[in-house]
Amino acid sequence: MDCDKGFSSSHMILKPEEVNLFDLIHILFSTDLRKRRFVDSAKATEESFERRWIIFISIVVQKMLQVFSKPLAFVGSLSEMWLNLLSINGNFFKLSFNFLRGKVVIPDRTSANFTSFIGNFDKRLELDTNIKRGDKRYHAALSMMASKASYENKAYLETIVNDHWKMEFLGFYDYWNDYQDKATTQAFLFRDKTDEHDTIVVAFRGTEPFDADAWCSDFDISWYELEGIGKIHGGFMKALGLQKNIGWPKEEINKNDSRKAPLAYYGIRERLRELMSQNDKAKYILTGHSLGGALAILFPAVLAFHEEKMLLERLEGVYTFGQPRVGDESFGKYMENYKLKENGILYYRFVYSNDMVPRLPYDDSALMFKHFGTCIYYNRHYKAKVVPEEPNKNYFSPFGAITMMINAFMELVRSFTIIHSKGPDYRECWFMRMFRIIGLVIPGVPAHCPQDYVNATRLGSPDVFFPPQQS
């Protein structure tokens, strides 16, 4: 057994980099995964065909992402440049006119004016002035804006925090992934401070559409079982800072000479220790959209594993948006009934309509992943309710396909009417409307965009924001 598995009582680790075509085909016919060199499993039991099929798909997708990572990144870079060309020059007609005059404004990727692919869906910069400190929706609305902003570059983040939100920017960081041997995880920190309170916000970046490394983390269904805690998604643990050949030691060990940046968990933990020491009354919250949401809820799990009492006590809340499942039922019970409740930590998991990502990985007999915590579910009218699990929990349902497509059509119609019913702050751009057309075929894709989550946290009822036992 490798050292990095010594911290876990059981494991199932996929190694797509070691697979060949012969091994890949044989996984569908051999029930014993331990005979496959690209699967490291401590389980002695034989696996069902359904589970082997899911492993097969996971490995194939990761291999394809590795092969096409550079073309994918090129397409993403080109798309972002084109969207920013249109935006900075006004529109397509103004861009054409500027081109004829030789006065085209070329976007600078490092400037505060450059917007990411995700950012082009929703370009709102300002916080909702109707939601002030003390409003039950305040932290949720602030967290969602931070989660949306996390996809942007450092200059953009510094400008939006300091100039638009009138808060203190504390830094943007790239973090290392030992298993992909590169920096794949990003987060930024800022301080929301008044005379009455001092709150640090840590926002993890989610999956960027053209980032093959982030998608590999999502599709890696490896898992590690921590004794007394439960089984946890391996891809997310690696993105958070699982140390290769070591696991989760108390401190970061720099045995990997190629590591050019700190690991996310250790780097953020150290920064929080420093910030908390400056003010005994300071608190912090964790947030993220998509993959960022998974990292946000895993962070306190590792704090608990390391018995970081001070940081757990100072953690005020975790707010995740469109978050995938991160562990099994045992992990959920450990976090919800023990660590979160014990330390008075609020955990709100927001799900909008038919968003596909919160319904993955599957919660079925083949996979063991399950959600936990307070789920606030919003329908297309942004009506909120607290539910134990979002409807249609595994998304793919032939019986629900027609209903979801009708709902997607109504969302497309709403994109043209919401400005009249809710005001100019809710105007949707042409890019978001084009993406909603995709929803007529695959409803769960546009539903994952930040646009609807920002709307939901602003328009939804504040009555759902209570501790879980009062919901």
Side-chain angles (χ1 to χ4, degrees):
M1 178 183 292
D2 294 336
C3 294
D4 65 326
K5 299 187 288 291
F7 75 97
S8 63
S9 56
S10 184
H11 61 271
M12 194 283 290
I13 305 167
L14 302 182
K15 301 177 181 179
E17 67 278 2
E18 297 185 16
V19 71
N20 59 41
L21 182 60
F22 179 81
D23 284 333
L24 190 58
I25 293 174
H26 271 69
I27 196 174
L28 298 176
F29 301 97
S30 173
T31 59
D32 190 350
L33 291 180
R34 293 176 301 169
K35 294 180 180 179
R36 308 271 72 83
R37 64 181 181 181
F38 58 88
V39 179
D40 184 352
S41 176
K43 292 183 67 177
T45 57
E46 295 184 341
E47 296 286 5
S48 66
F49 177 79
E50 186 179 7
R51 180 159 177 77
R52 284 183 282 120
W53 172 250
I54 292 173
I55 291 173
F56 173 86
I57 294 297
S58 173
I59 292 175
V60 168
V61 171
Q62 289 184 71
K63 290 292 286 185
M64 291 180 65
L65 286 167
Q66 291 168 359
V67 170
F68 294 104
S69 60
K70 290 184 178 179
L72 192 63
F74 175 76
V75 170
S77 178
L78 200 63
S79 300
E80 282 187 343
M81 183 60 71
W82 173 247
L83 289 169
N84 280 274
L85 266 174
L86 290 175
S87 177
I88 291 176
N89 286 277
N91 55 45
F92 179 77
F93 298 105
K94 290 181 180 179
L95 173 61
S96 301
F97 184 60
N98 287 346
F99 177 77
L100 293 174
R101 295 190 303 157
K103 295 185 178 181
V104 173
V105 181
I106 305 299
D108 177 2
R109 289 186 175 277
T110 62
S111 75
N113 296 321
F114 193 90
T115 309
S116 69
F117 186 87
I118 292 291
N120 274 279
F121 289 117
D122 182 358
K123 293 189 176 183
R124 284 174 286 189
L125 302 177
E126 307 296 342
L127 301 176
D128 189 334
T129 56
N130 295 316
I131 303 177
K132 304 183 185 299
R133 295 180 182 91
D135 190 312
K136 296 172 185 175
R137 298 170 295 171
Y138 179 73
H139 277 159
L142 176 62
S143 293
M144 185 54 228
M145 286 297 287
S147 296
K148 181 173 81 76
S150 68
Y151 290 95
E152 310 303 333
N153 63 51
K154 181 180 179 180
Y156 181 106
L157 292 170
E158 192 165 5
T159 299
I160 195 174
V161 170
N162 293 338
D163 298 344
H164 293 271
W165 301 351
K166 305 303 179 183
M167 298 178 186
E168 182 185 355
F169 179 72
L170 298 175
F172 169 80
Y173 306 95
D174 279 307
Y175 293 109
W176 201 254
N177 184 323
D178 266 0
Y179 291 80
Q180 296 182 7
D181 202 27
K182 62 180 74 173
T184 65
T185 305
Q186 292 78 32
F188 83 101
L189 285 74
F190 65 95
R191 174 185 275 120
D192 177 18
K193 187 175 182 180
T194 66
D195 293 336
E196 290 76 29
H197 79 281
D198 183 359
T199 303
I200 309 300
V201 180
V202 181
F204 290 90
R205 180 181 291 182
T207 304
E208 296 179 275
F210 301 96
D211 185 346
D213 296 319
W215 282 111
C216 281
S217 294
D218 292 338
F219 279 96
D220 182 1
I221 59 169
S222 302
W223 52 263
Y224 295 88
E225 183 173 10
L226 304 187
E227 188 170 356
I229 297 178
K231 297 175 182 177
I232 306 175
H233 190 289
F236 300 152
M237 291 182 77
K238 294 169 186 176
L240 186 61
L242 184 69
Q243 298 188 54
K244 194 171 187 178
N245 300 324
I246 301 172
W248 282 120
K250 184 80 171 179
E251 303 297 335
E252 180 175 351
I253 300 174
N254 294 312
K255 287 188 176 182
N256 187 341
D257 295 334
S258 66
R259 191 184 295 161
K260 298 178 176 63
L263 301 169
Y265 166 76
Y266 297 96
I268 294 172
R269 186 187 65 177
E270 187 60 33
R271 190 77 172 98
L272 286 172
R273 284 173 175 171
E274 176 189 340
L275 293 166
M276 294 299 106
S277 68
Q278 296 171 6
N279 181 358
D280 291 339
K281 295 183 179 180
K283 298 278 190 176
Y284 70 99
I285 59 178
L286 301 165
T287 189
H289 169 257
S290 192
L291 168 64
L295 301 182
I297 190 56
L298 277 181
F299 186 86
V302 185
L303 287 179
F305 183 65
H306 288 155
E307 299 180 342
E308 293 281 350
K309 185 176 180 181
M310 184 274 288
L311 287 179
L312 285 171
E313 290 176 346
R314 305 283 282 278
L315 175 56
E316 188 170 6
V318 182
Y319 298 82
T320 71
F321 306 87
Q323 170 214 311
R325 297 182 176 100
V326 298
D328 68 355
E329 186 174 8
S330 296
F331 172 71
K333 289 180 178 178
Y334 170 82
M335 290 297 292
E336 185 175 19
N337 298 329
Y338 178 46
K339 288 303 174 184
L340 296 179
K341 186 178 293 185
E342 179 186 78
N343 292 283
I345 301 168
L346 295 176
Y347 169 39
Y348 290 110
R349 183 174 63 84
F350 298 85
V351 178
Y352 168 73
S353 190
N354 293 314
D355 185 351
M356 182 189 298
V357 176
R359 295 164 168 93
L360 298 171
Y362 289 161
D363 174 2
D364 60 10
S365 58
L367 294 176
M368 72 289 175
F369 297 101
K370 291 184 179 295
H371 277 308
F372 64 94
T374 304
C375 176
I376 300 182
Y377 174 78
Y378 295 90
N379 64 16
R380 98 167 164 269
H381 303 292
Y382 303 120
K383 300 296 183 183
K385 60 179 179 179
V386 177
V387 295
E389 181 72 81
E390 57 272 10
N392 190 19
K393 67 177 184 178
N394 286 330
Y395 183 74
F396 294 102
S397 168
F399 303 104
I402 299 299
T403 301
M404 288 193 291
M405 289 177 182
I406 292 173
N407 189 75
F409 175 76
M410 297 307 296
E411 288 173 336
L412 178 60
V413 172
R414 185 194 61 199
S415 71
F416 292 93
T417 62
I418 192 170
I419 185 176
H420 304 294
S421 60
K422 303 300 180 183
D425 284 346
Y426 297 91
R427 178 194 297 272
E428 291 195 8
C429 65
W430 65 268
F431 188 51
M432 186 67 218
R433 288 172 180 169
M434 285 183 61
F435 213 62
R436 289 203 186 279
I437 295 174
I438 296 176
L440 302 179
V441 180
I442 314 175
V445 175
H448 187 58
C449 292
Q451 176 87 30
D452 286 315
Y453 281 101
V454 173
N455 291 352
T457 53
R458 294 183 177 192
L459 298 173
S461 170
D463 295 339
V464 295
F465 293 97
F466 287 94
Q469 62 270 25
Q470 298 181 26
S471 296

